[in-house]
Amino acid sequence: MGEIPDDATHWDTGDWIEWHRTSLGVDHRPCAAAAQDQQAQMTALHINLLRAAKGYFEMTGHHLPVYPQIAHVHAAIFCDLPMDGPDRTCAQTGVEVACLAPHSPSDEVEVDLSHDFVTLIVVKISDDFTAQARMISRADLPKSKDGPYRVAWQALPHTF
């Protein structure tokens, strides 16, 4: 294998990394760009939450009660939403986020149609602890504002 030239670069997670920076040995300093990038921080949080949930399940056979939070972080990353805190409601954001947990007996979520939302985002965390999201407009759901309505994963049109 040939030697890498000093001026060679490669693309890594949104940054150009110069080979000569790493050819002198392992650089243990944290990347300043990642610490300042909220998208990178949320992505790291998302990955860590999924790993923690998977590790706990593999060790104990039980689920950590973190799947709704994982769904909100996933929706924030992939649907470009602000992170919701405990004081934010779907009436303020216009988005209702629902979660399908791994090893769930059903591929349906229950949505309260009395909530005032514009978009429903359903995040499915698969049995292998990967996540994907689908969304549907409130206009595509029944016009009724009466209580719960079940929505099947397969009925959701847009995948992220």
Side-chain angles (χ1 to χ4, degrees):
M1 183 171 191
E3 196 170 309
I4 299 172
D6 286 341
D7 61 349
T9 60
H10 73 278
W11 186 255
D12 181 34
T13 64
D15 292 324
W16 284 104
I17 306 297
E18 299 172 8
W19 284 108
H20 64 81
R21 279 184 49 205
T22 58
S23 65
L24 300 175
V26 178
D27 185 358
H28 293 287
R29 294 175 296 167
C31 177
Q36 297 169 359
D37 182 5
Q38 186 176 13
Q39 188 79 1
Q41 291 173 342
M42 286 194 319
T43 301
L45 174 64
H46 185 251
I47 291 168
N48 289 335
L49 285 169
L50 284 169
R51 284 181 181 162
K54 180 179 180 180
Y56 187 82
F57 180 77
E58 289 174 347
M59 287 176 55
T60 67
H62 300 284
H63 293 283
L64 280 173
V66 296
Y67 300 122
Q69 290 77 17
I70 292 171
H72 279 274
V73 172
H74 187 86
I77 294 168
F78 292 96
C79 302
D80 197 27
L81 298 174
M83 283 293 293
D84 286 346
D87 57 342
R88 302 236 4 218
T89 65
C90 71
Q92 293 170 316
T93 63
V95 177
E96 177 81 13
V97 178
C99 180
L100 284 167
H103 303 93
S104 177
S106 171
D107 266 0
E108 295 180 336
V109 294
E110 193 170 279
V111 181
D112 189 349
L113 295 178
S114 67
H115 289 173
D116 191 22
F117 62 91
V118 177
T119 304
L120 170 66
I121 298 174
V122 179
V123 177
K124 181 177 183 178
I125 303 169
S126 301
D127 292 347
D128 65 352
F129 293 88
T130 58
Q132 59 179 324
R134 291 185 180 177
M135 67 178 3
I136 190 167
S137 171
R138 174 65 172 95
D140 294 332
L141 296 173
K143 305 298 181 224
S144 170
K145 291 221 177 230
D146 296 336
Y149 178 73
R150 297 193 67 77
V151 180
W153 175 254
Q154 295 83 3
L156 299 167
H158 306 289
T159 303
F160 294 94

